[in-house]
Amino acid sequence: MTSWNSSSAIVNMVTKGDCNLKPREIEGVMHSQLTFDSKIDSRVSFLYSAWSASLNESMKGEGELLQGVGVWTSNVPKAPHLENCKLSSQVNKNLDKRVENESFPPWTLWKGFLHTYPLSTTGERLKSAGAYPPWAVRYLMRFQTEYMCNLLNAERHAAFGREAAKLVLATPAKEWPEEVREEPQSEMEQFVWSNHKPWMPRPLLSMHVRMGDKACEMKIFEFEEYMKRAERIRKHFPHLVSIWLSTEMQEVIDRSRSYPHWNFYYTNVTRQVGNMSMATYESNLGRETSTNYPLVNFLMAVESDFFVGALGSSWCFLIDGMRNTGGKVMAGYLSVNKDRFW
């Protein structure tokens, strides 16, 4: 968008050329563009606020008036970055529930709305000789709880909500909040999209920077070393611009501002300053926060397209294992070190 400071140069260029537009007409066009952009920005903020209110009032059910926004839930466009936690929890419960013969459901039903398909009997179950069932791998993290799903929704909304709102409102057919017409979906369409994961700006690189008292176990590397590895990945994927940054150090967050050609996202928590020990830091955060936000970062790292970390960190080592067993064994993972004491 052209700023008003450069408008005089554009006006002079037009008046000196063969164009029939007059300076006042040019100003009118520019004013119209500024008004349009301002309208878009206000609609984005309004939609973001409506989604925020919807998150806060998700326990009240559909059709509720969103407090502080003044619109009905049914009139708000679907948030692509948010997951239906109640539905996901219900599906996960069905997947993890034993059937009549005290065995788990067949892996062939691990997609879609399970309540629309009866649980198979033993004769209908597919087996593979010598193979472990899919729930044996990554068993402890196989299903997210509704509580964890809500935490991820809140963090994705804080990080990506405004971008998502801008994309939704960019659809020409939508004139929200004046008019929203959601077309009914067929059962097949619902089934196809039932396993669709929440939207994130992709490709997304997750980066966990471990510093502080970790120096007693491994060699510590500066933030710049992590960024060098991110740049290596970017050489192969030039459209990579987004980084989900995970770290306990405020120093790392401050240094990220020295890389304006990257978009950094991170949780909004208090971080360590100076040589504070991890035990003291977690104690200051409190049990709930010190437990919740690392799990959010952990799951975001597992879902990201690429990862940069330090395999000398047990946390990074665990992330690597989760990614390897979750379909990302060939995805990018660059480490600043090999393992501890390296």
Side-chain angles (χ1 to χ4, degrees):
M1 181 182 68
T2 306
S3 65
W4 281 108
N5 293 334
S6 59
S7 62
S8 59
I10 296 177
V11 171
N12 291 334
M13 185 184 301
V14 173
T15 54
K16 291 180 181 179
D18 296 330
C19 183
N20 295 324
L21 290 177
K22 298 178 181 179
R24 187 172 299 278
E25 293 174 332
I26 293 293
E27 292 177 1
V29 171
M30 296 179 66
H31 176 71
S32 176
Q33 180 64 38
L34 287 173
T35 303
F36 175 77
D37 292 338
S38 176
K39 182 179 180 181
I40 290 295
D41 291 340
S42 63
R43 291 173 64 210
V44 167
S45 298
F46 189 30
L47 181 53
Y48 177 83
S49 298
W51 285 342
S52 299
S54 180
L55 273 177
N56 294 334
E57 301 185 9
S58 60
M59 300 300 295
K60 296 182 180 180
E62 296 294 330
E64 292 288 338
L65 182 66
L66 300 181
Q67 299 296 328
V69 181
V71 297
W72 294 95
T73 303
S74 58
N75 195 42
V76 178
K78 181 181 179 181
H81 60 300
L82 302 181
E83 186 174 0
N84 187 332
C85 295
K86 286 186 177 295
L87 178 59
S88 297
S89 178
Q90 179 184 355
V91 171
N92 292 339
K93 183 179 180 180
N94 290 338
L95 287 171
D96 209 28
K97 183 178 181 180
R98 295 180 182 272
V99 291
E100 295 179 358
N101 58 356
E102 296 300 318
S103 61
F104 287 107
W107 63 267
T108 52
L109 295 184
W110 274 47
K111 281 189 176 183
F113 297 120
L114 297 188
H115 63 272
T116 62
Y117 299 90
L119 294 177
S120 301
T121 60
T122 306
E124 297 173 334
R125 185 168 291 104
L126 297 181
K127 294 183 179 180
S128 178
Y132 288 100
W135 48 82
V137 180
R138 310 198 314 171
Y139 180 79
L140 294 177
M141 299 291 292
R142 65 194 184 282
F143 297 129
Q144 294 178 17
T145 62
E146 185 175 348
Y147 178 78
M148 192 69 240
C149 178
N150 286 325
L151 287 178
L152 286 167
N153 269 350
E155 291 299 336
R156 278 194 301 264
H157 183 59
F160 315 134
R162 294 187 181 277
E163 293 180 55
K166 191 173 183 179
L167 291 173
V168 168
L169 293 175
T171 306
K174 303 295 183 183
E175 290 297 336
W176 189 84
E178 291 81 7
E179 180 182 7
V180 174
R181 295 179 181 176
E182 295 291 343
E183 298 181 359
Q185 293 183 338
S186 65
E187 292 184 1
M188 178 59 70
E189 187 175 2
Q190 292 180 34
F191 177 78
V192 169
W193 290 105
S194 64
N195 201 40
H196 186 69
K197 294 183 179 180
W199 176 85
M200 293 190 294
R202 293 191 183 275
L204 181 65
L205 183 149
S206 178
M207 178 183 294
H208 181 67
V209 180
R210 190 68 171 94
M211 299 174 70
D213 60 358
K214 191 65 178 179
C216 63
E217 298 181 4
M218 72 176 195
K219 180 181 177 181
I220 295 298
F221 291 84
E222 297 296 330
F223 177 60
E224 287 71 20
E225 293 299 319
Y226 291 83
M227 289 305 301
K228 287 180 181 178
R229 284 149 181 80
E231 296 288 354
R232 286 174 57 185
I233 297 178
R234 194 174 187 177
K235 288 181 180 179
H236 299 281
F237 302 91
H239 56 302
L240 173 63
V241 296
S242 301
I243 294 180
W244 183 272
L245 183 58
S246 169
T247 182
E248 298 88 8
M249 306 301 296
Q250 182 59 40
E251 174 188 353
V252 173
I253 301 298
D254 296 338
R255 290 188 184 182
S256 68
R257 301 186 179 94
S258 301
Y259 297 86
H261 55 294
W262 288 93
N263 298 327
F264 290 91
Y265 307 93
Y266 41 83
T267 53
N268 183 23
V269 296
T270 303
R271 289 179 165 81
Q272 295 185 52
V273 178
N275 296 322
M276 180 186 300
S277 68
M278 181 61 71
T280 303
Y281 170 63
E282 291 182 348
S283 177
N284 291 341
L285 283 181
R287 179 177 298 178
E288 183 177 356
T289 302
S290 63
T291 301
N292 289 345
Y293 97 88
L295 286 175
V296 168
N297 287 323
F298 181 83
L299 293 175
M300 288 296 296
V302 172
E303 291 297 327
S304 297
D305 301 287
F306 310 102
F307 186 81
V308 172
L311 284 177
S313 166
S314 301
W315 193 249
C316 291
F317 189 81
L318 184 59
I319 290 173
D320 184 38
M322 287 287 289
R323 290 172 61 83
N324 287 341
T325 57
K328 291 184 170 62
V329 66
M330 297 299 292
Y333 186 122
L334 296 183
S335 175
V336 295
N337 62 8
K338 183 178 179 181
D339 52 31
R340 296 182 181 183
F341 306 106
W342 180 81

